[in-house]
Amino acid sequence: IGDVRMTLRSICKKAGVTTGAFYFQFENKEAVLKEILDPILAQFLLLMNQNVKSEFEEEASSSDADEWMVEMIWLHKAEFQILMTGTAGTPYEKVFETLREGLTNGFCMFFEKYGIAKVDPKLLDVLVRMRIESYLAVIQKDYSLEETKKLARQIGEYCDAGFEALVKLLKMEGSEKLPKTEYQKKHWYWHFSGTHYSVIGWLQAVLPGLRYT
Protein backbone atom coordinates (compact mmCIF):
# COMPACT_ATOMS: atom_id res chain seq x y z
CA ILE A 1 0.00 0.00 0.00
CA GLY A 2 2.98 2.30 0.50
CA ASP A 3 4.12 1.79 -3.09
CA VAL A 4 3.51 5.01 -5.03
CA ARG A 5 2.85 2.92 -8.14
CA MET A 6 -0.14 1.23 -6.51
CA THR A 7 -3.34 2.95 -7.53
CA LEU A 8 -6.33 3.55 -5.32
CA ARG A 9 -8.38 1.28 -7.58
CA SER A 10 -5.94 -1.62 -7.09
CA ILE A 11 -6.00 -1.08 -3.32
CA CYS A 12 -9.80 -1.24 -3.28
CA LYS A 13 -9.77 -4.34 -5.46
CA LYS A 14 -7.39 -6.14 -3.12
CA ALA A 15 -9.42 -5.05 -0.09
CA GLY A 16 -12.71 -6.05 -1.72
CA VAL A 17 -14.36 -2.65 -1.32
CA THR A 18 -15.64 0.02 -3.69
CA THR A 19 -13.85 3.34 -4.13
CA GLY A 20 -16.94 5.02 -2.68
CA ALA A 21 -16.67 2.95 0.48
CA PHE A 22 -12.96 3.77 0.64
CA TYR A 23 -13.54 7.53 0.42
CA PHE A 24 -16.22 7.27 3.09
CA GLN A 25 -13.46 6.20 5.52
CA PHE A 26 -10.26 7.76 4.14
CA GLU A 27 -9.28 10.89 2.28
CA ASN A 28 -6.61 9.16 0.17
CA LYS A 29 -4.23 6.19 0.24
CA GLU A 30 -1.69 8.15 2.34
CA ALA A 31 -4.39 8.39 5.02
CA VAL A 32 -4.62 4.57 5.06
CA LEU A 33 -0.85 4.36 5.43
CA LYS A 34 -0.99 6.80 8.32
CA GLU A 35 -3.74 4.78 10.01
CA ILE A 36 -1.64 1.61 9.76
CA LEU A 37 1.85 2.88 10.48
CA ASP A 38 1.60 5.80 12.92
CA PRO A 39 0.63 3.75 16.01
CA ILE A 40 3.34 1.15 15.27
CA LEU A 41 6.01 3.79 14.68
CA ALA A 42 5.13 5.66 17.86
CA GLN A 43 5.27 2.43 19.86
CA PHE A 44 8.56 1.38 18.25
CA LEU A 45 10.32 4.71 18.83
CA LEU A 46 9.08 4.80 22.43
CA LEU A 47 10.41 1.28 23.00
CA MET A 48 13.75 2.19 21.43
CA ASN A 49 14.14 5.23 23.72
CA GLN A 50 13.13 3.20 26.77
CA ASN A 51 15.66 0.50 25.87
CA VAL A 52 18.48 3.02 25.51
CA LYS A 53 17.58 4.53 28.90
CA SER A 54 17.33 1.09 30.57
CA GLU A 55 20.67 -0.03 29.15
CA PHE A 56 22.36 3.26 30.01
CA GLU A 57 21.17 3.09 33.61
CA GLU A 58 22.05 -0.64 33.69
CA GLU A 59 18.48 -1.69 34.44
CA ALA A 60 18.57 -4.01 31.43
CA SER A 61 21.20 -5.68 29.26
CA SER A 62 21.72 -5.37 25.53
CA SER A 63 20.26 -8.87 25.23
CA ASP A 64 17.04 -7.76 26.95
CA ALA A 65 16.75 -4.68 24.75
CA ASP A 66 17.34 -6.58 21.51
CA GLU A 67 14.83 -9.25 22.50
CA TRP A 68 12.13 -6.64 23.18
CA MET A 69 12.84 -4.84 19.90
CA VAL A 70 12.79 -7.90 17.64
CA GLU A 71 9.71 -9.29 19.39
CA MET A 72 7.81 -6.13 18.52
CA ILE A 73 9.07 -6.24 14.94
CA TRP A 74 8.06 -9.91 14.66
CA LEU A 75 4.55 -9.20 16.01
CA HIS A 76 4.13 -6.39 13.44
CA LYS A 77 6.08 -7.94 10.60
CA ALA A 78 3.65 -6.83 7.88
CA GLU A 79 3.82 -3.19 8.95
CA PHE A 80 7.63 -3.24 9.12
CA GLN A 81 7.77 -4.85 5.68
CA ILE A 82 5.81 -1.85 4.38
CA LEU A 83 8.21 0.51 6.13
CA MET A 84 11.20 -1.30 4.70
CA THR A 85 10.11 -1.71 1.09
CA GLY A 86 6.95 0.24 0.35
CA THR A 87 7.16 3.85 1.52
CA ALA A 88 8.96 5.53 -1.40
CA GLY A 89 7.38 8.90 -2.16
CA THR A 90 5.53 9.03 1.17
CA PRO A 91 6.27 10.83 4.47
CA TYR A 92 7.57 7.49 5.80
CA GLU A 93 10.39 6.99 3.31
CA LYS A 94 12.94 8.42 5.76
CA VAL A 95 11.82 6.41 8.76
CA PHE A 96 15.04 4.40 8.82
CA GLU A 97 17.01 7.64 8.94
CA THR A 98 15.14 8.44 12.15
CA LEU A 99 15.98 4.98 13.48
CA ARG A 100 19.61 5.42 12.45
CA GLU A 101 19.83 8.79 14.21
CA GLY A 102 18.33 7.33 17.38
CA LEU A 103 20.76 4.41 17.43
CA THR A 104 23.71 6.70 16.66
CA ASN A 105 22.80 8.95 19.60
CA GLY A 106 22.47 5.86 21.78
CA PHE A 107 25.93 4.60 20.83
CA CYS A 108 27.42 8.06 21.49
CA MET A 109 25.85 8.11 24.96
CA PHE A 110 27.37 4.73 25.82
CA PHE A 111 30.80 5.59 24.47
CA GLU A 112 30.77 8.81 26.49
CA LYS A 113 29.68 6.91 29.58
CA TYR A 114 32.76 4.70 29.28
CA GLY A 115 35.13 7.58 28.70
CA ILE A 116 35.21 7.80 24.89
CA ALA A 117 34.28 11.39 24.12
CA LYS A 118 34.86 11.29 20.39
CA VAL A 119 34.20 8.37 18.04
CA ASP A 120 35.02 8.12 14.35
CA PRO A 121 31.74 8.77 12.45
CA LYS A 122 32.64 5.97 10.02
CA LEU A 123 32.83 3.50 12.93
CA LEU A 124 29.49 4.72 14.29
CA ASP A 125 27.89 4.33 10.87
CA VAL A 126 29.05 0.70 10.59
CA LEU A 127 27.91 -0.16 14.13
CA VAL A 128 24.46 1.32 13.53
CA ARG A 129 24.08 -0.45 10.18
CA MET A 130 24.97 -3.77 11.82
CA ARG A 131 22.33 -3.21 14.50
CA ILE A 132 19.65 -2.32 11.95
CA GLU A 133 20.55 -5.34 9.80
CA SER A 134 19.95 -7.62 12.79
CA TYR A 135 16.44 -6.13 13.12
CA LEU A 136 15.73 -6.48 9.40
CA ALA A 137 16.72 -10.14 9.45
CA VAL A 138 13.58 -10.75 11.53
CA ILE A 139 11.47 -9.44 8.66
CA GLN A 140 13.36 -11.16 5.88
CA LYS A 141 13.56 -14.63 7.43
CA ASP A 142 10.68 -16.92 8.34
CA TYR A 143 11.69 -17.53 11.97
CA SER A 144 9.24 -18.40 14.73
CA LEU A 145 8.86 -15.97 17.61
CA GLU A 146 10.83 -18.24 19.94
CA GLU A 147 13.64 -18.60 17.39
CA THR A 148 13.67 -14.84 16.91
CA LYS A 149 13.92 -14.12 20.65
CA LYS A 150 16.65 -16.72 21.10
CA LEU A 151 18.69 -15.22 18.26
CA ALA A 152 18.17 -11.72 19.65
CA ARG A 153 19.49 -12.78 23.05
CA GLN A 154 22.52 -14.48 21.52
CA ILE A 155 23.29 -11.45 19.35
CA GLY A 156 22.83 -9.18 22.37
CA GLU A 157 25.43 -11.14 24.35
CA TYR A 158 27.79 -10.90 21.40
CA CYS A 159 27.20 -7.13 21.15
CA ASP A 160 27.84 -6.61 24.88
CA ALA A 161 31.16 -8.43 24.77
CA GLY A 162 32.14 -6.74 21.51
CA PHE A 163 31.33 -3.28 22.86
CA GLU A 164 33.49 -3.82 25.95
CA ALA A 165 36.39 -4.99 23.79
CA LEU A 166 35.93 -2.03 21.44
CA VAL A 167 35.98 0.46 24.33
CA LYS A 168 39.28 -1.03 25.55
CA LEU A 169 40.73 -0.82 22.05
CA LEU A 170 39.64 2.80 21.56
CA LYS A 171 41.08 3.79 24.94
CA MET A 172 44.36 2.10 24.07
CA GLU A 173 44.48 3.82 20.68
CA GLY A 174 43.62 7.13 22.34
CA SER A 175 46.42 6.79 24.92
CA GLU A 176 48.94 6.15 22.15
CA LYS A 177 48.08 9.54 20.64
CA LEU A 178 48.49 11.48 23.91
CA PRO A 179 51.62 13.64 24.33
CA LYS A 180 54.25 12.04 26.57
CA THR A 181 54.44 13.31 30.14
CA GLU A 182 57.81 14.22 31.66
CA TYR A 183 57.80 10.89 33.49
CA GLN A 184 57.13 8.99 30.27
CA LYS A 185 59.90 10.93 28.50
CA LYS A 186 62.41 10.15 31.28
CA HIS A 187 61.29 6.53 31.41
CA TRP A 188 61.78 6.27 27.66
CA TYR A 189 65.19 7.94 27.93
CA TRP A 190 66.36 5.59 30.69
CA HIS A 191 65.13 2.59 28.73
CA PHE A 192 66.84 3.83 25.58
CA SER A 193 70.05 4.74 27.46
CA GLY A 194 70.21 1.33 29.12
CA THR A 195 69.77 -0.37 25.77
CA HIS A 196 72.26 1.99 24.18
CA TYR A 197 74.99 1.32 26.76
CA SER A 198 74.29 -2.44 26.72
CA VAL A 199 74.89 -2.44 22.97
CA ILE A 200 78.14 -0.50 23.43
CA GLY A 201 79.23 -2.96 26.12
CA TRP A 202 78.52 -5.87 23.79
CA LEU A 203 80.45 -4.22 20.95
CA GLN A 204 83.42 -3.58 23.24
CA ALA A 205 83.42 -7.24 24.22
CA VAL A 206 83.35 -8.57 20.67
CA LEU A 207 85.47 -5.79 19.15
CA PRO A 208 88.53 -5.29 21.38
CA GLY A 209 89.95 -1.81 21.26
CA LEU A 210 86.59 -0.10 20.73
CA ARG A 211 86.30 3.04 22.81
CA TYR A 212 83.16 4.93 23.63
CA THR A 213 83.06 8.28 25.39
Side-chain angles (χ1 to χ4, degrees):
I1 193 170
D3 192 336
V4 292
R5 295 168 298 179
M6 184 171 282
T7 65
L8 181 59
R9 190 178 298 277
S10 62
I11 293 172
C12 291
K13 184 177 180 181
K14 286 180 177 292
V17 298
T18 65
T19 54
F22 177 92
Y23 279 119
F24 183 76
Q25 294 291 333
F26 304 102
E27 183 180 352
N28 49 40
K29 66 177 184 178
E30 284 73 22
V32 182
L33 205 60
K34 182 178 176 66
E35 184 81 13
I36 295 170
L37 298 181
D38 274 9
I40 301 301
L41 267 179
Q43 188 180 346
F44 183 76
L45 294 175
L46 177 63
L47 179 60
M48 185 175 72
N49 290 332
Q50 287 175 339
N51 285 349
V52 170
K53 183 175 182 292
S54 296
E55 282 189 70
F56 189 78
E57 296 176 356
E58 298 182 4
E59 297 173 353
S61 67
S62 179
S63 301
D64 294 327
D66 278 347
E67 187 175 337
W68 297 331
M69 292 288 276
V70 297
E71 181 175 7
M72 183 189 170
I73 293 172
W74 190 94
L75 292 171
H76 301 280
K77 188 180 289 190
E79 292 90 339
F80 279 97
Q81 283 176 332
I82 293 173
L83 284 169
M84 185 178 75
T85 61
T87 57
T90 75
Y92 300 94
E93 64 181 346
K94 294 186 178 180
V95 68
F96 278 103
E97 287 185 22
T98 303
L99 173 59
R100 192 176 294 117
E101 287 173 8
L103 289 172
T104 299
N105 292 336
F107 270 113
C108 288
M109 284 173 56
F110 280 99
F111 278 120
E112 209 167 309
K113 178 181 179 180
Y114 290 97
I116 311 293
K118 189 175 181 181
V119 184
D120 185 345
K122 294 188 290 295
L123 174 60
L124 279 172
D125 182 63
V126 172
L127 292 173
V128 168
R129 287 176 184 274
M130 289 169 61
R131 198 71 176 262
I132 291 175
E133 283 299 319
S134 70
Y135 297 151
L136 294 183
V138 179
I139 299 172
Q140 296 164 341
K141 303 292 183 179
D142 191 24
Y143 300 137
S144 69
L145 178 57
E146 288 309 309
E147 288 173 324
T148 297
K149 291 168 70 173
K150 180 180 178 181
L151 285 169
R153 183 156 293 278
Q154 291 170 338
I155 292 168
E157 292 295 331
Y158 168 78
C159 289
D160 278 342
F163 183 80
E164 289 176 11
L166 179 58
V167 165
K168 289 179 183 177
L169 176 63
L170 293 176
K171 284 184 176 180
M172 184 178 71
E173 291 175 347
S175 66
E176 290 173 355
K177 295 178 182 178
L178 293 174
K180 287 184 172 64
T181 63
E182 285 304 310
Y183 169 79
Q184 288 172 319
K185 289 176 182 176
K186 289 177 182 177
H187 180 74
W188 174 84
Y189 174 75
W190 292 332
H191 175 74
F192 174 77
S193 299
T195 304
H196 181 64
Y197 284 115
S198 295
V199 171
I200 293 298
W202 177 79
L203 286 172
Q204 287 176 329
V206 296
L207 298 173
L210 177 69
R211 290 185 179 183
Y212 177 78
T213 56

PDB file of all heavy atoms in Angstrom, residues 32-43:
ATOM      1  N   VAL A  32      -4.599   5.982   4.644  1.00  0.00           N
ATOM      2  CA  VAL A  32      -4.617   4.567   5.056  1.00  0.00           C
ATOM      3  C   VAL A  32      -3.265   4.193   5.645  1.00  0.00           C
ATOM      4  O   VAL A  32      -3.168   3.524   6.680  1.00  0.00           O
ATOM      5  CB  VAL A  32      -4.925   3.643   3.855  1.00  0.00           C
ATOM      6  CG1 VAL A  32      -4.979   2.194   4.304  1.00  0.00           C
ATOM      7  CG2 VAL A  32      -6.227   4.041   3.204  1.00  0.00           C
ATOM      8  N   LEU A  33      -2.204   4.636   4.964  1.00  0.00           N
ATOM      9  CA  LEU A  33      -0.850   4.357   5.431  1.00  0.00           C
ATOM     10  C   LEU A  33      -0.631   4.936   6.826  1.00  0.00           C
ATOM     11  O   LEU A  33      -0.054   4.284   7.707  1.00  0.00           O
ATOM     12  CB  LEU A  33       0.147   4.977   4.442  1.00  0.00           C
ATOM     13  CG  LEU A  33       1.547   4.370   4.363  1.00  0.00           C
ATOM     14  CD1 LEU A  33       1.485   2.909   3.955  1.00  0.00           C
ATOM     15  CD2 LEU A  33       2.402   5.159   3.395  1.00  0.00           C
ATOM     16  N   LYS A  34      -1.120   6.140   7.020  1.00  0.00           N
ATOM     17  CA  LYS A  34      -0.987   6.802   8.316  1.00  0.00           C
ATOM     18  C   LYS A  34      -1.728   6.024   9.404  1.00  0.00           C
ATOM     19  O   LYS A  34      -1.224   5.841  10.511  1.00  0.00           O
ATOM     20  CB  LYS A  34      -1.544   8.227   8.214  1.00  0.00           C
ATOM     21  CG  LYS A  34      -1.420   9.061   9.479  1.00  0.00           C
ATOM     22  CD  LYS A  34      -1.959  10.461   9.235  1.00  0.00           C
ATOM     23  CE  LYS A  34      -1.940  11.284  10.507  1.00  0.00           C
ATOM     24  NZ  LYS A  34      -0.585  11.554  10.972  1.00  0.00           N
ATOM     25  N   GLU A  35      -2.930   5.553   9.053  1.00  0.00           N
ATOM     26  CA  GLU A  35      -3.738   4.778  10.009  1.00  0.00           C
ATOM     27  C   GLU A  35      -3.028   3.493  10.429  1.00  0.00           C
ATOM     28  O   GLU A  35      -3.086   3.079  11.596  1.00  0.00           O
ATOM     29  CB  GLU A  35      -5.078   4.436   9.353  1.00  0.00           C
ATOM     30  CG  GLU A  35      -6.052   3.710  10.251  1.00  0.00           C
ATOM     31  CD  GLU A  35      -6.798   4.634  11.194  1.00  0.00           C
ATOM     32  OE1 GLU A  35      -6.759   5.861  10.994  1.00  0.00           O
ATOM     33  OE2 GLU A  35      -7.426   4.117  12.127  1.00  0.00           O
ATOM     34  N   ILE A  36      -2.322   2.880   9.493  1.00  0.00           N
ATOM     35  CA  ILE A  36      -1.644   1.611   9.763  1.00  0.00           C
ATOM     36  C   ILE A  36      -0.325   1.813  10.500  1.00  0.00           C
ATOM     37  O   ILE A  36      -0.025   1.118  11.479  1.00  0.00           O
ATOM     38  CB  ILE A  36      -1.378   0.849   8.441  1.00  0.00           C
ATOM     39  CG1 ILE A  36      -2.693   0.449   7.785  1.00  0.00           C
ATOM     40  CG2 ILE A  36      -0.510  -0.379   8.685  1.00  0.00           C
ATOM     41  CD1 ILE A  36      -2.522  -0.086   6.370  1.00  0.00           C
ATOM     42  N   LEU A  37       0.465   2.779  10.025  1.00  0.00           N
ATOM     43  CA  LEU A  37       1.851   2.876  10.478  1.00  0.00           C
ATOM     44  C   LEU A  37       2.095   3.781  11.686  1.00  0.00           C
ATOM     45  O   LEU A  37       3.004   3.506  12.480  1.00  0.00           O
ATOM     46  CB  LEU A  37       2.737   3.347   9.318  1.00  0.00           C
ATOM     47  CG  LEU A  37       2.793   2.416   8.101  1.00  0.00           C
ATOM     48  CD1 LEU A  37       3.723   2.998   7.054  1.00  0.00           C
ATOM     49  CD2 LEU A  37       3.254   1.019   8.499  1.00  0.00           C
ATOM     50  N   ASP A  38       1.320   4.844  11.827  1.00  0.00           N
ATOM     51  CA  ASP A  38       1.597   5.796  12.916  1.00  0.00           C
ATOM     52  C   ASP A  38       1.607   5.163  14.305  1.00  0.00           C
ATOM     53  O   ASP A  38       2.534   5.415  15.095  1.00  0.00           O
ATOM     54  CB  ASP A  38       0.596   6.951  12.873  1.00  0.00           C
ATOM     55  CG  ASP A  38       1.050   8.056  11.928  1.00  0.00           C
ATOM     56  OD1 ASP A  38       2.032   7.833  11.193  1.00  0.00           O
ATOM     57  OD2 ASP A  38       0.419   9.133  11.899  1.00  0.00           O
ATOM     58  N   PRO A  39       0.608   4.349  14.660  1.00  0.00           N
ATOM     59  CA  PRO A  39       0.631   3.749  16.006  1.00  0.00           C
ATOM     60  C   PRO A  39       1.836   2.829  16.208  1.00  0.00           C
ATOM     61  O   PRO A  39       2.434   2.813  17.289  1.00  0.00           O
ATOM     62  CB  PRO A  39      -0.683   2.946  16.058  1.00  0.00           C
ATOM     63  CG  PRO A  39      -1.543   3.546  15.006  1.00  0.00           C
ATOM     64  CD  PRO A  39      -0.622   3.980  13.918  1.00  0.00           C
ATOM     65  N   ILE A  40       2.210   2.072  15.167  1.00  0.00           N
ATOM     66  CA  ILE A  40       3.340   1.153  15.271  1.00  0.00           C
ATOM     67  C   ILE A  40       4.650   1.923  15.418  1.00  0.00           C
ATOM     68  O   ILE A  40       5.496   1.590  16.249  1.00  0.00           O
ATOM     69  CB  ILE A  40       3.410   0.236  14.025  1.00  0.00           C
ATOM     70  CG1 ILE A  40       2.115  -0.560  13.877  1.00  0.00           C
ATOM     71  CG2 ILE A  40       4.613  -0.697  14.112  1.00  0.00           C
ATOM     72  CD1 ILE A  40       1.782  -1.426  15.060  1.00  0.00           C
ATOM     73  N   LEU A  41       4.793   2.980  14.607  1.00  0.00           N
ATOM     74  CA  LEU A  41       6.010   3.789  14.680  1.00  0.00           C
ATOM     75  C   LEU A  41       6.164   4.457  16.040  1.00  0.00           C
ATOM     76  O   LEU A  41       7.254   4.479  16.622  1.00  0.00           O
ATOM     77  CB  LEU A  41       5.983   4.858  13.590  1.00  0.00           C
ATOM     78  CG  LEU A  41       6.658   4.507  12.274  1.00  0.00           C
ATOM     79  CD1 LEU A  41       6.514   5.667  11.288  1.00  0.00           C
ATOM     80  CD2 LEU A  41       8.117   4.170  12.479  1.00  0.00           C
ATOM     81  N   ALA A  42       5.087   5.001  16.556  1.00  0.00           N
ATOM     82  CA  ALA A  42       5.132   5.664  17.857  1.00  0.00           C
ATOM     83  C   ALA A  42       5.534   4.672  18.939  1.00  0.00           C
ATOM     84  O   ALA A  42       6.370   4.972  19.807  1.00  0.00           O
ATOM     85  CB  ALA A  42       3.762   6.273  18.177  1.00  0.00           C
ATOM     86  N   GLN A  43       4.961   3.472  18.884  1.00  0.00           N
ATOM     87  CA  GLN A  43       5.274   2.431  19.862  1.00  0.00           C
ATOM     88  C   GLN A  43       6.731   1.988  19.733  1.00  0.00           C
ATOM     89  O   GLN A  43       7.431   1.788  20.731  1.00  0.00           O
ATOM     90  CB  GLN A  43       4.334   1.231  19.648  1.00  0.00           C
ATOM     91  CG  GLN A  43       4.436   0.167  20.722  1.00  0.00           C
ATOM     92  CD  GLN A  43       3.484  -0.990  20.444  1.00  0.00           C
ATOM     93  OE1 GLN A  43       2.583  -0.888  19.618  1.00  0.00           O
ATOM     94  NE2 GLN A  43       3.697  -2.102  21.134  1.00  0.00           N
TER      95      GLN A  43
END
